[in-house]
Amino acid sequence: MTDASGTSAGEAGADPDTGGIRTPLFDLHSELGGRMANFGGYALPMRFEGTIAEHRATRTAAGLFDVSHMGIIELHPNRSDEVADVAAWLERCIPGSVVNLAPGRMRYTLFTTSAGGVLDDLIVSNYGNRLSAVVNAVRADADLAMLRGVNGGSDDGDVRIAVRHDLALLALQGPAAVEVLARWAPPAAELAFMSTAVISIDGVECEVSRCGYTGEDGFEIAVPSTEAVHLAQLLLSSDEVSPAGLGARDTLRLEAGLPLVGHELTEATTPAEAGLGWSIPKRRRAEGGFPGSETITAQLCEGPPRHRVGVAAQGRRPIRDGAVLADADGAHVGIVTSGGFGPTVDAPIAMAYVAAEHACDGTELFAEGRKGPEPCRVAPLPFVEHRFWRPS
């Protein structure tokens, strides 16, 4: 697998216990008591104190996550000095609009397939002299292959493609995140949601972005791999910050109703079905020219055959991934893509794809369970309101 995270596989090596590639923070996780597991080919902590405790710490104060498994791919001008040319080139691969993305701003978008499915979701940032894309590790190989294909089969064509093997990625999330980070990097407090800047944190130059995938205010920080432990220890020295594992990250994003590649986002699901039509502006819908544009545009105009929805259990048993959803007559009408217990809502919750005629809020359904059908209902997303910070 192409390692597009903070370190190269050759430098980090594989962890003999999990078989996953070690991130620069692997030893620190072990010192902190992290329960390690193989996640997308990387050795990452699933939990420290416990998923529920880490979830609640992030909702009430701040959690620090190692997300160095995410890929960071830079796109540099090669035929000219204009980043606008890079943005126009990238729009051949995505249905989103980035040609109007201002320096210091970020945008959520998708890589789509020729059939209209979702290959990956990503965040594109404009740093003035280059674009930077953060992609999912499990899709990094496919993403790079697509980009290289559009680039004439190489990393050095119309644009210059550079995978940042020298960076680690930390996510500081929660209502106390801004106060904590501002102690060492005051300019970070001035960033609005979906903004980014190169900022010095305790003398270390980092790419700081106000974003995250928990539904809370917070930051993602790309830091040189050699300084990742120092930065993590610095942030953890604050009483408000707790180490958090991928278990809590999953329960947080589920409560926030945020889709995940491999669950809600696959090559068999379209942006319209996933409820991501908002990421495709009118100009792109009208002009097309991106993979799967005909299918995607048609569904955005006419409506998709199924919808991503929230599902709330009527009892206390969690609804698990892959559970079939049926109507009162027993007819299969959907399938659960993510399910579990929501610590903040104190109830079992899930996300699912449901046939359009059964996707209205409040629709009564039955989830396939170990002890028979479990009553549930379609519920609005998100389960917990987002608290992203935007200036008033």
Side-chain angles (χ1 to χ4, degrees):
M1 177 169 65
T2 299
D3 177 10
S5 73
T7 59
S8 69
E11 293 172 348
D15 173 44
D17 293 327
T18 65
I21 298 168
R22 294 182 175 184
T23 74
L25 295 175
F26 179 87
D27 290 340
L28 179 60
H29 296 323
S30 299
E31 292 173 13
L32 295 173
R35 302 291 183 89
M36 309 300 288
N38 189 320
F39 182 85
Y42 293 81
L44 291 165
M46 297 307 294
R47 65 185 185 277
F48 293 90
E49 180 182 353
T51 293
I52 292 178
E54 293 157 28
H55 176 111
R56 290 174 174 162
T58 304
R59 286 271 186 253
T60 59
L64 184 66
F65 301 81
D66 180 5
V67 289
S68 299
H69 61 295
M70 303 294 285
I72 301 176
I73 304 172
E74 290 185 346
L75 303 173
H76 296 258
N78 208 23
R79 304 301 189 199
S80 73
D81 293 328
E82 298 297 327
V83 170
D85 293 336
V86 178
W89 178 91
L90 182 58
E91 286 193 0
R92 296 161 61 183
C93 308
I94 62 173
S97 175
V98 291
V99 295
N100 60 349
L101 185 64
R105 294 292 296 168
M106 313 165 68
R107 188 154 293 161
Y108 177 90
T109 188
L110 306 164
F111 285 136
T112 50
T113 70
S114 59
V118 177
L119 180 68
D120 199 359
D121 65 344
L122 62 151
I123 297 286
V124 178
S125 301
N126 184 347
Y127 285 100
N129 62 349
R130 67 190 188 282
L131 298 183
S132 180
V134 176
V135 303
N136 289 282
V138 294
R139 292 295 198 178
D141 282 344
D143 296 344
L144 283 166
M146 181 182 63
L147 291 170
R148 287 165 176 159
V150 176
N151 205 36
S154 75
D155 290 340
D156 195 24
D158 292 332
V159 304
R160 180 166 58 85
I161 301 171
V163 180
R164 293 301 302 270
H165 293 304
D166 59 325
L167 298 176
L169 192 62
L170 304 181
L172 180 67
Q173 300 283 293
V178 62
E179 179 183 353
V180 170
L181 189 56
R183 291 171 189 158
W184 293 281
E190 302 303 317
L191 292 175
F193 178 59
M194 296 300 282
S195 294
T196 186
V198 177
I199 297 175
S200 176
I201 305 176
D202 196 38
V204 179
E205 191 172 272
C206 301
E207 293 174 359
V208 180
S209 304
R210 199 156 193 175
C211 65
Y213 224 60
T214 63
E216 294 292 333
D217 185 21
F219 303 88
E220 290 189 351
I221 307 167
V223 55
S225 298
T226 54
E227 299 291 342
V229 171
H230 167 70
L231 178 58
Q233 290 175 327
L234 185 73
L235 297 173
L236 289 169
S237 69
S238 295
D239 292 339
E240 302 96 326
V241 182
S242 302
L246 293 181
R249 189 167 182 261
D250 194 52
T251 56
L252 289 159
R253 70 94 192 169
L254 177 57
E255 287 188 337
L258 299 173
L260 182 66
V261 164
H263 291 253
E264 290 70 42
L265 303 179
T266 72
E267 294 185 39
T269 58
T270 67
E273 291 175 328
L276 299 177
W278 57 267
S279 69
I280 308 174
K282 291 181 180 179
R283 174 179 68 84
R284 300 310 321 277
R285 300 183 192 195
E287 68 188 16
F290 52 87
S293 58
E294 291 186 7
T295 298
I296 293 169
T297 301
Q299 286 195 358
L300 290 171
C301 292
E302 302 164 9
R306 58 180 188 157
H307 294 272
R308 179 172 63 91
V309 300
V311 177
Q314 300 297 337
R316 299 293 290 180
R317 290 194 185 94
I319 303 173
R320 298 302 182 186
D321 300 13
V324 172
L325 296 173
D327 63 15
D329 297 324
H332 292 182
V333 299
I335 190 164
V336 173
T337 50
S338 295
F341 185 81
T344 305
V345 299
D346 191 32
I349 55 175
M351 282 191 284
Y353 279 100
V354 173
E357 59 270 27
H358 296 277
C360 293
D361 290 345
T363 299
E364 298 291 333
L365 298 174
F366 294 88
E368 176 185 57
R370 295 175 183 174
K371 297 185 177 181
E374 298 282 353
C376 56
R377 58 179 173 78
V378 175
L381 292 173
F383 295 99
V384 173
E385 290 299 319
H386 299 164
R387 296 199 287 185
F388 305 131
W389 184 79
R390 297 177 175 87
S392 57

